[in-house]
Amino acid sequence: MKIIRARDYDHMSRQAANIISAQVIIKPDSVLGLATGSSPIGTYKQLIAWYEKGDIDFSGVRTVNLDEYVGLDANHVQSYAHFMRSNLFDHINLRLENTNIPSGVEPDAETECARYDRVIRGLGGIDLQLLGLGPNGHIGFNEPDDHFSKTTHKVALTDATVKANTRFFDRESDVPRYAYTMGIQDIMQAERVVMVVSGAGKAGIVREAFFGPVTPRIPASILQIHKDFTLVADEEALSQID
Ligand code: GLP
Protein backbone atom coordinates (compact mmCIF):
# COMPACT_ATOMS: atom_id res chain seq x y z
CA MET A 1 0.00 0.00 0.00
CA LYS A 2 1.32 3.44 -0.92
CA ILE A 3 0.11 6.65 0.65
CA ILE A 4 0.29 9.97 -1.14
CA ARG A 5 -0.12 12.79 1.35
CA ALA A 6 -1.82 15.77 -0.24
CA ARG A 7 -2.12 19.24 1.26
CA ASP A 8 -5.85 19.63 0.67
CA TYR A 9 -8.75 18.52 -1.55
CA ASP A 10 -7.45 20.29 -4.67
CA HIS A 11 -3.97 18.87 -4.29
CA MET A 12 -5.44 15.38 -3.66
CA SER A 13 -7.53 15.73 -6.81
CA ARG A 14 -4.53 16.72 -8.95
CA GLN A 15 -2.42 13.86 -7.58
CA ALA A 16 -5.13 11.30 -8.35
CA ALA A 17 -5.77 12.82 -11.78
CA ASN A 18 -2.04 12.56 -12.50
CA ILE A 19 -2.12 8.81 -11.86
CA ILE A 20 -5.23 8.31 -14.03
CA SER A 21 -3.80 10.50 -16.76
CA ALA A 22 -0.55 8.53 -16.81
CA GLN A 23 -2.57 5.31 -17.03
CA VAL A 24 -4.51 6.56 -20.08
CA ILE A 25 -1.39 7.95 -21.79
CA ILE A 26 0.50 4.69 -21.33
CA LYS A 27 -2.49 2.49 -22.25
CA PRO A 28 -4.99 4.45 -24.39
CA ASP A 29 -7.52 1.60 -24.35
CA SER A 30 -7.47 1.30 -20.56
CA VAL A 31 -10.48 0.03 -18.66
CA LEU A 32 -11.10 2.56 -15.90
CA GLY A 33 -13.27 1.65 -12.93
CA LEU A 34 -15.00 4.84 -11.84
CA ALA A 35 -16.58 6.07 -8.63
CA THR A 36 -19.16 8.63 -7.58
CA GLY A 37 -19.53 10.72 -4.41
CA SER A 38 -18.03 14.11 -3.63
CA SER A 39 -14.44 12.85 -3.28
CA PRO A 40 -13.68 12.15 -6.98
CA ILE A 41 -15.39 15.29 -8.38
CA GLY A 42 -12.17 17.34 -8.20
CA THR A 43 -10.24 14.53 -9.88
CA TYR A 44 -12.76 14.51 -12.74
CA LYS A 45 -12.55 18.32 -13.04
CA GLN A 46 -8.78 18.11 -13.39
CA LEU A 47 -9.02 15.37 -16.02
CA ILE A 48 -11.52 17.52 -17.97
CA ALA A 49 -9.13 20.50 -17.78
CA TRP A 50 -6.24 18.42 -19.14
CA TYR A 51 -8.49 17.00 -21.86
CA GLU A 52 -9.45 20.55 -22.88
CA LYS A 53 -5.77 21.45 -23.13
CA GLY A 54 -5.27 18.49 -25.47
CA ASP A 55 -3.15 16.54 -23.00
CA ILE A 56 -5.37 13.42 -22.63
CA ASP A 57 -7.33 11.47 -25.21
CA PHE A 58 -10.18 9.32 -23.87
CA SER A 59 -11.40 8.06 -27.26
CA GLY A 60 -10.13 4.52 -26.66
CA VAL A 61 -10.93 4.33 -22.95
CA ARG A 62 -13.64 2.04 -21.62
CA THR A 63 -15.22 2.57 -18.22
CA VAL A 64 -17.13 0.54 -15.70
CA ASN A 65 -18.75 2.22 -12.71
CA LEU A 66 -18.95 0.73 -9.26
CA ASP A 67 -22.60 1.06 -8.45
CA GLU A 68 -26.09 2.47 -8.98
CA TYR A 69 -29.16 3.01 -6.82
CA VAL A 70 -31.93 0.48 -7.40
CA GLY A 71 -35.06 2.25 -8.64
CA LEU A 72 -33.45 5.33 -10.21
CA ASP A 73 -33.37 5.54 -13.99
CA ALA A 74 -30.35 6.94 -15.79
CA ASN A 75 -31.98 10.36 -16.18
CA HIS A 76 -32.86 10.78 -12.52
CA VAL A 77 -30.78 13.69 -11.26
CA GLN A 78 -29.47 11.66 -8.31
CA SER A 79 -28.68 8.55 -10.32
CA TYR A 80 -25.01 7.71 -10.63
CA ALA A 81 -25.49 7.54 -14.41
CA HIS A 82 -26.53 11.20 -14.34
CA PHE A 83 -23.66 12.04 -11.96
CA MET A 84 -21.12 10.53 -14.34
CA ARG A 85 -22.49 12.35 -17.37
CA SER A 86 -22.58 15.73 -15.66
CA ASN A 87 -19.25 15.41 -13.83
CA LEU A 88 -17.18 13.69 -16.52
CA PHE A 89 -18.63 11.95 -19.57
CA ASP A 90 -20.29 15.01 -21.15
CA HIS A 91 -17.04 16.97 -21.02
CA ILE A 92 -14.48 14.63 -22.57
CA ASN A 93 -14.18 12.57 -25.76
CA LEU A 94 -15.09 9.28 -24.08
CA ARG A 95 -17.62 7.40 -26.20
CA LEU A 96 -20.83 6.83 -24.24
CA GLU A 97 -21.13 3.33 -25.69
CA ASN A 98 -17.83 2.57 -23.97
CA THR A 99 -19.22 3.45 -20.54
CA ASN A 100 -20.95 0.99 -18.23
CA ILE A 101 -23.05 1.50 -15.11
CA PRO A 102 -25.44 -0.99 -13.47
CA SER A 103 -29.04 -0.35 -14.51
CA GLY A 104 -31.06 0.87 -11.54
CA VAL A 105 -34.33 0.09 -13.32
CA GLU A 106 -33.79 -3.63 -13.88
CA PRO A 107 -36.03 -5.01 -11.12
CA ASP A 108 -34.59 -8.50 -11.23
CA ALA A 109 -31.37 -8.39 -9.22
CA GLU A 110 -30.11 -11.73 -10.48
CA THR A 111 -30.49 -10.67 -14.12
CA GLU A 112 -28.81 -7.30 -13.66
CA CYS A 113 -25.96 -8.57 -11.49
CA ALA A 114 -25.19 -11.42 -13.90
CA ARG A 115 -25.31 -8.98 -16.85
CA TYR A 116 -22.92 -6.58 -15.11
CA ASP A 117 -20.48 -9.34 -14.23
CA ARG A 118 -20.47 -10.35 -17.90
CA VAL A 119 -19.73 -6.72 -18.80
CA ILE A 120 -16.72 -6.62 -16.44
CA ARG A 121 -15.43 -9.96 -17.72
CA GLY A 122 -16.05 -8.90 -21.32
CA LEU A 123 -13.83 -5.88 -20.81
CA GLY A 124 -11.05 -8.20 -19.71
CA GLY A 125 -10.96 -6.79 -16.18
CA ILE A 126 -10.16 -3.35 -14.81
CA ASP A 127 -6.79 -1.64 -15.32
CA LEU A 128 -7.31 1.10 -12.75
CA GLN A 129 -10.12 1.34 -10.22
CA LEU A 130 -10.81 4.71 -8.62
CA LEU A 131 -12.54 4.61 -5.22
CA GLY A 132 -13.92 6.89 -2.56
CA LEU A 133 -14.37 5.79 1.05
CA GLY A 134 -17.77 5.60 2.71
CA PRO A 135 -17.97 6.96 6.28
CA ASN A 136 -18.46 3.37 7.52
CA GLY A 137 -15.63 2.00 5.41
CA HIS A 138 -17.73 0.94 2.44
CA ILE A 139 -16.29 0.85 -1.08
CA GLY A 140 -18.71 1.10 -3.96
CA PHE A 141 -21.78 0.10 -1.98
CA ASN A 142 -20.13 -2.89 -0.30
CA GLU A 143 -21.44 -2.29 3.18
CA PRO A 144 -19.98 -3.71 6.44
CA ASP A 145 -20.88 -7.38 6.63
CA ASP A 146 -19.66 -10.65 8.11
CA HIS A 147 -18.05 -11.69 4.83
CA PHE A 148 -16.52 -10.07 1.76
CA SER A 149 -18.86 -10.23 -1.23
CA LYS A 150 -17.45 -11.41 -4.50
CA THR A 151 -19.24 -10.20 -7.61
CA THR A 152 -21.99 -7.71 -8.45
CA HIS A 153 -24.89 -7.95 -6.04
CA LYS A 154 -27.86 -6.09 -4.62
CA VAL A 155 -27.26 -4.47 -1.24
CA ALA A 156 -29.55 -3.05 1.39
CA LEU A 157 -27.95 0.27 2.32
CA THR A 158 -27.20 0.72 6.01
CA ASP A 159 -28.91 3.51 7.95
CA ALA A 160 -25.52 5.27 8.18
CA THR A 161 -25.15 5.28 4.39
CA VAL A 162 -28.74 6.44 3.83
CA LYS A 163 -28.11 9.28 6.30
CA ALA A 164 -24.75 10.18 4.73
CA ASN A 165 -26.31 10.32 1.25
CA THR A 166 -29.40 12.25 2.33
CA ARG A 167 -27.48 15.49 1.62
CA PHE A 168 -27.92 14.84 -2.11
CA PHE A 169 -31.72 14.37 -1.90
CA ASP A 170 -34.57 16.64 -0.77
CA ARG A 171 -35.41 14.39 2.17
CA GLU A 172 -34.20 11.18 3.79
CA SER A 173 -37.27 9.24 2.58
CA ASP A 174 -36.22 9.95 -1.04
CA VAL A 175 -32.90 8.09 -0.66
CA PRO A 176 -33.15 4.65 -2.30
CA ARG A 177 -32.73 1.80 0.21
CA TYR A 178 -31.04 -0.61 -2.21
CA ALA A 179 -28.20 -0.47 -4.70
CA TYR A 180 -26.45 -2.71 -7.19
CA THR A 181 -22.71 -2.75 -6.59
CA MET A 182 -19.63 -4.40 -7.96
CA GLY A 183 -18.28 -6.91 -5.46
CA ILE A 184 -15.08 -6.85 -3.44
CA GLN A 185 -13.54 -9.54 -5.64
CA ASP A 186 -14.22 -7.44 -8.77
CA ILE A 187 -12.44 -4.51 -7.10
CA MET A 188 -9.55 -6.63 -5.80
CA GLN A 189 -8.96 -8.04 -9.28
CA ALA A 190 -8.30 -4.57 -10.71
CA GLU A 191 -4.63 -4.24 -11.71
CA ARG A 192 -4.34 -1.04 -9.75
CA VAL A 193 -6.56 0.69 -7.18
CA VAL A 194 -6.47 4.39 -6.30
CA MET A 195 -8.58 5.82 -3.49
CA VAL A 196 -9.22 9.51 -2.86
CA VAL A 197 -10.11 10.61 0.67
CA SER A 198 -10.38 14.08 2.08
CA GLY A 199 -11.41 15.88 5.25
CA ALA A 200 -11.22 15.40 9.00
CA GLY A 201 -14.56 13.57 8.98
CA LYS A 202 -12.85 10.58 7.32
CA ALA A 203 -9.75 10.55 9.59
CA GLY A 204 -11.11 7.90 11.97
CA ILE A 205 -12.23 5.51 9.25
CA VAL A 206 -8.94 5.97 7.35
CA ARG A 207 -7.05 4.88 10.49
CA GLU A 208 -9.34 1.91 11.10
CA ALA A 209 -9.42 0.77 7.46
CA PHE A 210 -5.72 1.02 6.67
CA PHE A 211 -3.98 0.73 10.03
CA GLY A 212 -6.24 -1.84 11.71
CA PRO A 213 -7.07 -5.48 10.97
CA VAL A 214 -8.46 -6.60 7.61
CA THR A 215 -12.13 -7.28 8.27
CA PRO A 216 -15.40 -7.37 6.28
CA ARG A 217 -16.80 -5.11 9.01
CA ILE A 218 -14.68 -2.40 7.32
CA PRO A 219 -14.79 -3.44 3.65
CA ALA A 220 -12.05 -1.02 2.53
CA SER A 221 -9.58 -2.72 4.89
CA ILE A 222 -9.08 -5.51 2.34
CA LEU A 223 -7.25 -3.03 0.13
CA GLN A 224 -4.29 -3.37 2.52
CA ILE A 225 -3.53 -6.64 0.75
CA HIS A 226 -4.10 -5.43 -2.82
CA LYS A 227 -0.93 -5.73 -4.93
CA ASP A 228 -1.05 -2.10 -6.15
CA PHE A 229 -3.13 0.12 -3.91
CA THR A 230 -2.50 3.85 -3.58
CA LEU A 231 -4.30 5.96 -1.01
CA VAL A 232 -4.33 9.62 -2.03
CA ALA A 233 -5.47 11.49 1.06
CA ASP A 234 -5.23 15.03 2.32
CA GLU A 235 -3.65 16.03 5.61
CA GLU A 236 -6.99 16.22 7.42
CA ALA A 237 -7.93 12.69 6.38
CA LEU A 238 -4.50 11.47 7.55
CA SER A 239 -4.60 13.45 10.80
CA GLN A 240 -5.06 10.35 12.98
CA ILE A 241 -2.07 8.56 11.46
CA ASP A 242 1.37 8.96 13.07
C1 GLP B 1 -21.36 6.65 -1.89
C2 GLP B 1 -20.74 5.84 -3.03
C3 GLP B 1 -19.31 5.47 -2.75
C4 GLP B 1 -18.54 6.68 -2.23
C5 GLP B 1 -19.15 7.13 -0.94
C6 GLP B 1 -18.41 8.27 -0.28
O1 GLP B 1 -21.95 5.88 -0.93
N1 GLP B 1 -21.47 4.66 -3.33
O2 GLP B 1 -18.71 4.94 -3.92
O3 GLP B 1 -17.20 6.36 -2.05
O4 GLP B 1 -20.48 7.54 -1.24
O5 GLP B 1 -18.83 9.49 -0.79
P1 GLP B 1 -18.11 10.86 -0.55
O6 GLP B 1 -16.93 10.86 -1.43
O7 GLP B 1 -19.14 11.87 -0.97
O8 GLP B 1 -17.78 10.93 0.89
Side-chain angles (χ1 to χ4, degrees), residues 35-40 66-67 69 80 131-135 138-141 161 165 167-168 202:
T36 52
S38 37
S39 307
L66 285 165
D67 46 12
Y69 288 114
Y80 285 166
L131 295 175
L133 178 64
H138 73 221
I139 45 178
F141 267 132
T161 297
N165 290 358
R167 63 201 153 111
F168 300 114
K202 297 271 175 79

Side-chain angles (χ1 to χ4, degrees), residues 58-109:
F58 291 93
S59 60
V61 168
R62 290 141 323 137
T63 69
V64 62
N65 259 78
L66 285 165
D67 46 12
E68 180 60 282
Y69 288 114
V70 172
L72 300 193
D73 74 57
N75 290 319
H76 189 288
V77 72
Q78 293 307 343
S79 72
Y80 285 166
H82 185 274
F83 174 102
M84 289 310 302
R85 288 197 307 276
S86 55
N87 286 293
L88 184 66
F89 298 165
D90 285 352
H91 310 285
I92 57 176
N93 66 336
L94 185 67
R95 299 193 340 228
L96 272 187
E97 64 268 29
N98 285 344
T99 65
N100 298 280
I101 301 185
S103 166
V105 291
E106 170 53 62
D108 186 62

